Amino acid sequence: MGGPWKVASASAAASTLSEPPRRTQESQTRTRALGLPMEQSAASPEPPGPRPVLGRDSVQVPDDQDFRSFRSECEAEAGWNLTYSKAGVSVWVQAVEMDRTLHKIKCRMECRDVPAETLYDVLHDIEYRKKWDSNVIETFDIARLTVNADVGYYSWRCPKPLKNRDVITLRSWLPMGTDYIIMNYSVKHPKYPPRKDLVRAVSIQTGYLIQSTGPKSCVITYLAQVDPKGSLPKWVVNKSSQFLAPKAMKKMYKACVKYPEWKQKHQPHFKPWLHPEQSSLPSLALSELSVQHADSLENIDESAVAESREDRTGSAGGGEGSDDDTSLT
């Protein structure tokens, strides 16, 4: 679920979810290393509500306030409509007031046999993603910005017969004690313009909040606000929240369970997201990137497109994107 469409309350994690974001020494050290502004003193007022990363006119690496803001929105309840709740997976949707066709989706999942650090590794490991993410067409890292930020490419299959999408995103991550945040937003890179065979979508803000609930358990919340660049039919929105999002979360959980064994056979000590000195990516200056505004891309009208018979039957049982995970060995 590394793309913006791939999409987690848990009683065991209720106390964790209700706690306000805490500033850890690790977070302070990472912030100093990035040259980012430190958190204000306790006497300073907290910012009123989430601050969208893409509300800026220039590309910037998210700072501590952005991470706190993202966490607050992941934990927020007001304004969200529950559309799915079953077997430890919950999905909410929220229509954006300024554009009723643009929705936010939030998915939360309890992971009772997966440590938070394992889930964090799985979301970062691009080679492993190619094994378990059946929606991926192509994905690769482009360049490194800082020790905890990079730029990457991701293209994914959309429900037939919609056109497939791709994005270029600035991704940043931050360990916060035993919790982790990974988030991204769309940028433009001069060497990777939109392709004719794909629709360039826009990630307004997408990411994961991983919260440890014990030595071998965690809760993951996936939050996404994406402009797919086009008028999508209602069945796509319904299918995303009722079927695709829960299915993707469950597939990710299975991948997490199998990851330790897989990683032992595939460069077990190579984790550049934990050890920046291992990264071989070229460095890139922020000045070479620009913010990808949705209105600068072509809109694709697919509102009248009907769901294919293959996908309708696949939704009920097997079909494309089934839970077969024999490739994870």
Side-chain angles (χ1 to χ4, degrees), residues 137-158:
I137 298 174
E138 185 179 16
T139 182
F140 52 87
D141 297 326
I142 297 173
R144 177 177 52 179
L145 299 172
T146 68
V147 294
N148 74 325
D150 61 19
V151 177
Y153 175 86
Y154 185 90
S155 58
W156 71 98
R157 298 178 181 88
C158 290

Side-chain angles (χ1 to χ4, degrees), residues 44-114:
S44 302
E46 285 292 326
R51 178 178 67 170
V53 173
L54 210 63
R56 301 167 171 169
D57 292 327
S58 62
V59 175
Q60 299 178 37
V61 174
D63 59 21
D64 279 13
Q65 183 179 335
D66 292 312
F67 281 103
R68 289 197 307 270
S69 176
F70 179 80
R71 179 169 184 155
S72 295
E73 188 158 10
C74 285
E75 296 173 342
E77 297 181 0
W80 289 93
N81 298 314
L82 183 67
T83 61
Y84 179 97
S85 183
K86 184 179 179 181
V89 178
S90 300
V91 182
W92 297 263
V93 295
Q94 182 184 82
V96 179
E97 290 299 328
M98 69 186 91
D99 184 350
R100 301 302 294 184
T101 64
L102 184 62
H103 285 71
K104 293 182 183 180
I105 188 168
K106 179 162 61 177
C107 193
R108 182 172 297 141
M109 178 174 63
E110 303 173 44
C111 301
R112 297 182 179 178
D113 303 312
V114 177

Side-chain angles (χ1 to χ4, degrees), residues 1-7 122-126 128-130 132-141 152-156 166-171 182-185 203 205-208 220 222-224 226 248-249 252:
M1 291 197 356
W5 277 90
K6 290 167 300 301
V7 247
V122 168
L123 291 175
H124 272 288
D125 199 320
I126 197 169
Y128 190 55
R129 178 173 297 281
K130 297 171 185 178
W132 67 267
D133 185 355
S134 59
N135 293 315
V136 65
I137 298 174
E138 185 179 16
T139 182
F140 52 87
D141 297 326
Y153 175 86
Y154 185 90
S155 58
W156 71 98
D166 72 350
V167 286
I168 301 288
T169 61
L170 185 159
R171 183 183 62 162
I182 305 173
M183 59 184 186
N184 71 60
Y185 66 97
S203 168
Q205 186 176 56
T206 302
Y208 303 88
I220 179 171
Y222 172 80
L223 176 67
V226 177
M249 292 296 275
M252 181 175 64

Side-chain angles (χ1 to χ4, degrees), residues 107-287:
C107 193
R108 182 172 297 141
M109 178 174 63
E110 303 173 44
C111 301
R112 297 182 179 178
D113 303 312
V114 177
E117 56 267 27
T118 298
L119 184 43
Y120 183 64
D121 288 348
V122 168
L123 291 175
H124 272 288
D125 199 320
I126 197 169
E127 293 304 318
Y128 190 55
R129 178 173 297 281
K130 297 171 185 178
K131 293 288 185 179
W132 67 267
D133 185 355
S134 59
N135 293 315
V136 65
I137 298 174
E138 185 179 16
T139 182
F140 52 87
D141 297 326
I142 297 173
R144 177 177 52 179
L145 299 172
T146 68
V147 294
N148 74 325
D150 61 19
V151 177
Y153 175 86
Y154 185 90
S155 58
W156 71 98
R157 298 178 181 88
C158 290
K160 294 178 181 179
L162 299 179
K163 294 184 178 180
N164 295 329
R165 261 70 175 174
D166 72 350
V167 286
I168 301 288
T169 61
L170 185 159
R171 183 183 62 162
S172 55
W173 54 92
L174 185 67
M176 304 175 72
T178 57
D179 300 342
Y180 305 87
I181 291 178
I182 305 173
M183 59 184 186
N184 71 60
Y185 66 97
S186 283
V187 295
K188 289 193 289 188
H189 190 292
K191 294 184 179 179
Y192 298 92
R195 292 166 45 171
K196 293 183 178 180
D197 58 328
L198 296 168
V199 177
R200 178 63 51 89
V202 176
S203 168
I204 297 173
Q205 186 176 56
T206 302
Y208 303 88
L209 168 63
I210 306 167
Q211 296 172 297
S212 176
T213 56
K216 295 184 179 180
S217 62
C218 64
V219 170
I220 179 171
T221 304
Y222 172 80
L223 176 67
Q225 183 178 352
V226 177
D227 188 336
K229 291 314 300 171
S231 301
L232 296 178
K234 188 174 182 179
W235 65 262
V236 172
V237 178
N238 292 338
K239 186 171 182 177
S240 294
S241 61
Q242 296 287 344
F243 174 71
L244 297 179
K247 192 177 184 69
M249 292 296 275
K250 293 171 184 175
K251 177 167 286 191
M252 181 175 64
Y253 172 77
K254 289 185 177 181
C256 289
V257 172
K258 291 178 174 287
Y259 181 70
E261 181 181 357
W262 180 89
K263 188 60 175 173
Q264 281 299 316
K265 303 175 184 177
H266 302 83
Q267 295 183 290
H269 302 295
F270 182 71
K271 296 183 178 182
W273 53 94
L274 297 178
H275 311 291
E277 68 277 5
Q278 295 179 345
S279 176
S280 59
L281 289 175
S283 296
L284 183 71
L286 285 175
S287 59

